[in-house]
Amino acid sequence: AVCPETGDACGLIAACANTQVMNGFLQAFSRELPGDVHAAMVRDRAGWHVSKELAIPPNVTLIHLPPKSPELNPPENLWHYLRSHHWSNRLYGTWEDLRQAATDAWRAVCLLPEKIKTICADTALRGD
């Protein structure tokens, strides 16, 4: 999750994406929010984003995008950036190698609010 306005980012590196992992992410995200903040999280319609089994924290509201509209989702620019600058044209021999590459990319990009704002702001502000 990213905030294009502040450059804040919250992520979870996991071996798979499913409802259980999404629930873990939502709980971690919720705990990182200041006590007086309620977050609106824009999500696509992946099965684990719309599952009836989601445990949505009280300080988070999920907003689902229309189908097939990734251009409306600011994190799409971030995933494209991470793939093109850190993960493309590489072979990972083990899950640990892939996890380490994901961790290194996160640290190189997502801990820098100004970089997040630059990468994600275009989509958020222009909608393209």
Side-chain angles (χ1 to χ4, degrees), residues 105-122:
W106 183 267
R107 289 177 178 155
V109 177
C110 299
L111 298 180
L112 304 171
E114 291 305 314
K115 186 169 278 240
I116 292 293
K117 290 193 303 192
T118 299
I119 293 168
C120 297
D122 284 347

Side-chain angles (χ1 to χ4, degrees), residues 2 7 19-20 24 26-27 34 44 67 70-71 87 94 108 119 124:
V2 299
T19 302
Q20 182 179 358
L26 287 171
Q27 294 308 311
D44 62 21
E71 70 279 1
W87 297 325
T94 67
I119 293 168

Side-chain angles (χ1 to χ4, degrees), residues 73-121:
N73 197 4
E76 290 296 328
N77 280 355
L78 176 60
W79 304 136
H80 175 74
Y81 183 91
L82 289 169
R83 281 190 303 271
S84 66
H85 289 79
H86 293 274
W87 297 325
S88 63
N89 299 318
R90 291 169 179 83
L91 178 64
Y92 304 101
T94 67
W95 157 245
E96 181 56 32
D97 294 339
L98 179 58
R99 189 198 63 74
Q100 188 60 55
T103 300
D104 293 345
W106 183 267
R107 289 177 178 155
V109 177
C110 299
L111 298 180
L112 304 171
E114 291 305 314
K115 186 169 278 240
I116 292 293
K117 290 193 303 192
T118 299
I119 293 168
C120 297

Side-chain angles (χ1 to χ4, degrees), residues 1-45:
V2 299
C3 178
E5 184 177 324
T6 66
D8 289 336
C10 178
L12 176 68
I13 297 171
C16 65
N18 59 30
T19 302
Q20 182 179 358
V21 171
M22 183 65 182
N23 278 333
F25 172 72
L26 287 171
Q27 294 308 311
F29 176 76
S30 171
R31 285 190 303 270
E32 287 191 21
L33 294 173
D36 61 342
V37 170
H38 186 97
M41 184 182 290
V42 177
R43 307 301 312 166
D44 62 21
R45 293 181 180 268

Side-chain angles (χ1 to χ4, degrees), residues 63-75:
I63 300 171
H64 293 99
L65 292 171
K68 300 180 181 174
S69 58
E71 70 279 1
L72 300 177
N73 197 4

